[in-house]
Amino acid sequence: MKYILLCLLFCGYFFKAQVLNKTDSNRVKPQDTLVIDSGKKDSLQIFKPTIYDYTFKTQFSEKKIFDTAFTPDKTFIFSQYNNRDNFGKIQFGNTGSGFQDLVFEVNTEQNLSLLPTRKSSFILGINDIKYYDVKTPTTSFIYHNAYSSGATLQTTYTQNVGKNFNFAVEYMGLRSLGFYQYSLASSNNVIFSGHYLSENKKYEAYAHYIHQNINNQENGGVSDIDLFLNGSSNFNNRLNLPVNLTTSDSRFAYRRYYFSQQFRPFASEKFPFKIRHTIFHQGNKYYYTQNSLEPYYFNSQSDLIDYPYSSKKYSENLSNTVSVLFDKENFKLDAGVRYQIIKLGIGDALPAYLNIPQELSENRVGAVGNLLVKLWDKVEVNSNLEISSGKAFGSYIRSQNLLKFEPIKDYFVNAKVNFQSASPSFNLLMNPSVYRKYNFYLENPKNETTTQIGGDVNLKWFQSKLSANYFRIDNYTYLDANALPRQSNASLNISQIGGEATFSYGKFHLNPKVLFQSAINNKNLLPMPNFIGRANLFYQTKAFKKAAEIQAGVKVYYFTKFASREYFPILNEFILLNSNSYDIGGQPIADVYFNMKVKRMFFFIEAQHLNTTFMKNKSFTAPNYPIYDFRVNIGIVWYLFS
């Protein structure tokens, strides 16, 4: 309720700020600030900003304008609490409670750091931080309602100070009670960012600070799944369903200080050399806390050790890089050296007889490089390489290579070859616990090596896109049915083929998206659905004398049955199925929605999982974790260009 009141407080300002209609991208041409008075009447020139005066970028990306167009993909983004299109994932039964990945992908944020899988859907890495350039102070609000009670509100304020410096402040607060016992989710993010470019363009600097907290009560899933499936009216109120855990919660804190600066020592354009220095410190902390021992995890006192009920793990990374750049418009090359201090540790020391160290640390030395080549505005090659080595966590190699080209006008091809050889996720290297069998230390692990070959083709016909990927993973690291880390002796090979298109007839549109995938061997190590599909049938038109625009439609999400891994709360990871596991999937998830845009305000209203109003909910995110029942989901996006 407090978030709704906060929005209402700004309503008066909203209508005042929109009178001039300064940033209507549908009514201005792609150009810079418009001069609406040349100064002939007096000594002043009057400027009218357009949407092209409001841009953002990440440090190494091209500038983009604020996307205020009412495109169909918005219904997949702003109906999600993390404001991302989560195709290939399935959400747990509460806002802020994370997802299970249905599609394999490499998460580079887990490299040489501690990041539990279920906590990763909200994390913003270095390349996710936005730096802005705006003509006038700019504010945005993104609101989502929650499950049962609570809300999510994300707000951004950014302003230029003079022509050369911009700062931004971003905050996200989330709290959702959930439909089931002990499923409360609460999170918050704070980001401060700044970008400076000197008048002579010789010096440029980027800086940010980010602090993210992701907190969840861990209920261990429904303890008797038959009570959920039998449809008894006694359990229509999901709070009546007994759950496995009643005193546990998990917390993850993610903090980073980042500063990068570059200087061009030569004034002449004949010598386009720059020197770049980047330093950052990132600290990750994971806590699993319990008010009392949970019988779900043990049978007798012999299953326990002398250790606190609650446990802590952490990782730290202090990185310092110096690079030399050759920077031309169509040819960029940089190479540098990197020095890192990396730590992985646990809170309280474990008993000596377990032979689990309290902390691992090392000093690493490595090299980084990047090559960008653009030819004839038709071909682009972008390659990145990072190599480093240390005694505790071994060698690290990551190579990303992307080729973009346009063989025929309006037909685009993106081909990629990626390679990574790195220590397994730090969350799988060690763990402390009061429960004896969940203490482990993966000593001298082999590097997990992943090779990816693939790409996509974007066709003019029906705005279609075809994609294919092949992964080979050597020394694949996973958690077995006992929640202990293991490494596969044989490679895991995965193939993926997918496509998307949009078919239109007048104001009616159909947007299907499909993905076929298969693990060619070692299927039991990474169970996955063979098919994932989504269809969006909608109607879109102007309304209210073209003062508004509306979308109305039906979305259906589906994945085939598969023997899902189980969710393990202590680690916030997924483990191989045991004898009590069962298949999930094979049930559609249908939403009916009505979206509307008025000036710079968007409304997203959905009747989610509507099919559970006339059929039993048999959908699961993971064994014992049902997907949410029918609910009304509301999202509001609001841009203020003052």
Side-chain angles (χ1 to χ4, degrees):
M1 186 68 186
K2 62 182 179 181
Y3 298 112
I4 298 175
L5 291 174
L6 179 60
C7 289
L8 292 175
L9 288 175
F10 284 93
C11 282
Y13 176 68
F14 165 71
F15 291 110
K16 178 181 178 181
Q18 294 296 331
V19 170
L20 296 178
N21 196 22
K22 295 179 180 179
T23 56
D24 195 335
S25 59
N26 296 321
R27 301 186 188 180
V28 296
K29 296 180 180 179
Q31 60 187 35
D32 291 331
T33 305
L34 298 174
V35 179
I36 61 174
D37 188 334
S38 62
K40 294 179 180 179
K41 296 180 181 180
D42 51 41
S43 60
L44 297 177
Q45 286 186 334
I46 301 175
F47 296 91
K48 182 179 181 180
T50 73
I51 191 63
Y52 299 92
D53 293 313
Y54 298 85
T55 64
F56 66 89
K57 58 172 289 188
T58 61
Q59 183 175 352
F60 301 108
S61 74
E62 301 292 333
K63 279 189 175 183
K64 299 178 181 179
I65 63 172
F66 277 71
D67 188 0
T68 58
F70 201 35
T71 52
D73 62 309
K74 298 293 196 304
T75 194
F76 298 114
I77 296 172
F78 293 122
S79 60
Q80 302 293 313
Y81 73 90
N82 61 345
N83 302 315
R84 301 174 187 175
D85 185 343
N86 294 307
F87 180 82
K89 301 176 184 290
I90 187 69
Q91 183 181 319
F92 279 82
N94 191 15
T95 293
S97 58
F99 300 81
Q100 179 180 187
D101 292 324
L102 304 176
V103 177
F104 175 80
E105 59 183 1
V106 178
N107 185 354
T108 58
E109 292 303 316
Q110 290 181 321
N111 292 338
L112 300 178
S113 68
L114 173 67
L115 178 58
T117 297
R118 194 189 178 198
K119 300 288 190 182
S120 64
S121 56
F122 234 147
I123 294 302
L124 298 175
I126 289 173
N127 294 325
D128 296 319
I129 302 300
K130 295 177 181 178
Y131 302 93
Y132 299 88
D133 183 10
V134 293
K135 278 291 192 298
T136 60
T138 300
T139 308
S140 68
F141 295 93
I142 303 175
Y143 166 87
H144 302 280
N145 67 329
Y147 292 47
S148 184
S149 68
T152 303
L153 179 65
Q154 178 177 330
T155 180
T156 301
Y157 177 83
T158 181
Q159 178 180 344
N160 278 28
V161 179
K163 295 181 179 180
N164 303 317
F165 176 69
N166 173 275
F167 73 90
V169 181
E170 303 181 48
Y171 175 78
M172 186 283 297
L174 178 154
R175 184 178 175 85
S176 180
L177 183 61
F179 293 152
Y180 295 83
Q181 296 183 55
Y182 307 106
S183 60
L184 173 68
S186 62
S187 303
N188 60 77
N189 297 0
V190 178
I191 305 173
F192 299 95
S193 64
H195 175 225
Y196 173 77
L197 179 64
S198 66
E199 194 73 36
N200 59 12
K201 295 182 170 51
K202 283 188 174 184
Y203 180 81
E204 187 172 19
Y206 297 86
H208 71 254
Y209 165 78
I210 180 171
H211 190 185
Q212 298 184 267
N213 290 296
I214 304 173
N215 308 320
N216 299 95
Q217 287 184 334
E218 302 287 354
N219 63 20
V222 176
S223 59
D224 187 347
I225 207 64
D226 289 334
L227 296 178
F228 171 78
L229 294 174
N230 66 16
S232 170
S233 59
N234 294 330
F235 301 105
N236 287 342
N237 183 347
R238 299 308 193 188
L239 290 174
N240 293 332
L241 285 168
V243 294
N244 288 314
L245 302 174
T246 59
T247 70
S248 298
D249 67 81
S250 63
R251 296 184 291 133
F252 182 70
Y254 179 95
R255 182 180 297 177
R256 182 173 59 247
Y257 303 86
Y258 180 88
F259 180 69
S260 180
Q261 58 183 337
Q262 60 187 41
F263 174 69
R264 180 163 61 91
F266 304 109
S268 173
E269 293 296 331
K270 295 181 180 179
F271 303 98
F273 290 97
K274 297 179 181 178
I275 299 173
R276 177 187 295 147
H277 172 238
T278 300
I279 185 170
F280 70 84
H281 179 270
Q282 181 170 304
N284 298 8
K285 297 178 181 179
Y286 175 67
Y287 304 85
Y288 186 77
T289 61
Q290 305 170 106
N291 294 329
S292 61
L293 294 173
E294 299 276 15
Y296 178 66
Y297 291 128
F298 75 104
N299 296 315
S300 65
Q301 289 297 316
S302 62
D303 295 331
L304 306 174
I305 66 170
D306 183 16
Y307 197 73
Y309 292 173
S310 300
S311 60
K312 171 188 174 183
K313 292 195 286 188
Y314 64 88
S315 70
E316 294 184 12
N317 183 350
L318 175 61
S319 176
N320 200 355
T321 306
V322 177
S323 304
V324 177
L325 295 77
F326 183 87
D327 191 357
K328 296 284 284 185
E329 182 178 358
N330 294 320
F331 182 86
K332 301 179 188 292
L333 174 66
D334 70 79
V337 294
R338 175 169 292 172
Y339 175 74
Q340 294 174 289
I341 302 175
I342 295 182
K343 297 179 181 179
L344 169 64
I346 61 177
D348 294 294
L350 286 160
Y353 65 84
L354 292 175
N355 293 318
I356 298 178
Q358 188 172 8
E359 183 178 272
L360 300 173
S361 64
E362 67 175 16
N363 297 343
R364 301 178 67 88
V365 177
V368 295
N370 173 258
L371 172 65
L372 176 64
V373 180
K374 297 181 180 179
L375 301 173
W376 314 296
D377 294 327
K378 298 287 186 180
V379 180
E380 180 178 318
V381 178
N382 193 344
S383 295
N384 294 277
L385 176 66
E386 180 178 352
I387 301 173
S388 65
S389 181
K391 292 182 179 180
F393 307 115
S395 61
Y396 173 78
I397 303 173
R398 178 159 178 80
S399 175
Q400 296 176 292
N401 305 278
L402 176 64
L403 170 63
K404 299 181 180 179
F405 61 97
E406 185 182 4
I408 305 173
K409 183 175 174 56
D410 297 326
Y411 294 82
F412 301 93
V413 177
N414 301 313
K416 57 188 172 185
V417 177
N418 297 331
F419 176 81
Q420 176 176 293
S421 178
S423 165
S425 168
F426 278 7
N427 200 30
L428 306 187
L429 292 187
M430 65 168 63
N431 189 68
S433 177
V434 66
Y435 307 107
R436 184 183 302 276
K437 60 184 177 181
Y438 300 132
N439 291 282
F440 61 76
Y441 173 43
L442 187 60
E443 192 172 4
N444 299 319
K446 298 178 181 178
N447 268 14
E448 189 175 64
T449 302
T450 305
T451 303
Q452 178 186 7
I453 301 173
D456 57 72
V457 180
N458 294 266
L459 307 176
K460 185 178 181 181
W461 300 322
F462 307 112
Q463 304 174 47
S464 54
K465 177 179 179 180
L466 303 175
S467 62
N469 283 291
Y470 168 79
F471 296 90
R472 176 190 170 98
I473 312 166
D474 293 303
N475 304 318
Y476 174 64
T477 309
Y478 61 96
L479 293 167
D480 65 15
N482 296 315
L484 296 176
R486 298 283 185 262
Q487 289 194 296
S488 172
N489 293 323
S491 63
L492 175 62
N493 298 273
I494 301 170
S495 62
Q496 300 171 349
I497 299 175
E500 182 178 12
T502 301
F503 306 95
S504 300
Y505 182 78
K507 297 179 180 180
F508 290 90
H509 312 273
L510 174 63
N511 172 233
K513 184 174 183 177
V514 298
L515 177 72
F516 298 88
Q517 63 178 354
S518 176
I520 301 171
N521 61 343
N522 281 335
K523 294 183 179 181
N524 60 312
L525 299 184
L526 185 58
M528 63 183 69
N530 291 325
F531 171 79
I532 303 168
R534 182 177 72 188
N536 180 21
L537 176 63
F538 65 99
Y539 172 83
Q540 183 166 352
T541 187
K542 297 284 187 179
F544 307 111
K545 296 182 179 181
K546 297 185 178 181
E549 190 172 2
I550 62 172
Q551 292 175 347
V554 179
K555 300 185 293 187
V556 180
Y557 190 47
Y558 177 84
F559 57 93
T560 53
K561 276 191 174 184
F562 74 108
S564 169
R565 294 176 296 172
E566 295 186 351
Y567 172 65
F568 186 64
I570 287 180
L571 293 173
N572 256 250
E573 300 282 356
F574 294 87
I575 67 175
L576 291 187
L577 59 163
N578 58 39
S579 58
N580 297 321
S581 296
Y582 48 87
D583 291 354
I584 69 169
Q587 299 287 327
I589 302 171
D591 306 333
V592 175
Y593 66 91
F594 177 85
N595 303 332
M596 183 170 63
K597 173 189 175 185
V598 180
K599 294 184 181 293
R600 294 292 158 261
M601 202 172 201
F602 301 77
F603 300 88
F604 299 89
I605 305 173
E606 289 187 346
Q608 289 189 331
H609 215 169
L610 184 64
N611 47 310
T612 59
T613 60
F614 55 84
M615 58 186 293
K616 291 181 181 179
N617 183 3
K618 297 182 180 180
S619 299
F620 294 85
T621 302
N624 300 321
Y625 287 86
I627 296 175
Y628 50 86
D629 296 306
F630 166 76
R631 67 181 291 260
V632 177
N633 182 46
I634 298 175
I636 300 173
V637 180
W638 184 13
Y639 296 105
L640 300 174
F641 304 101
S642 55

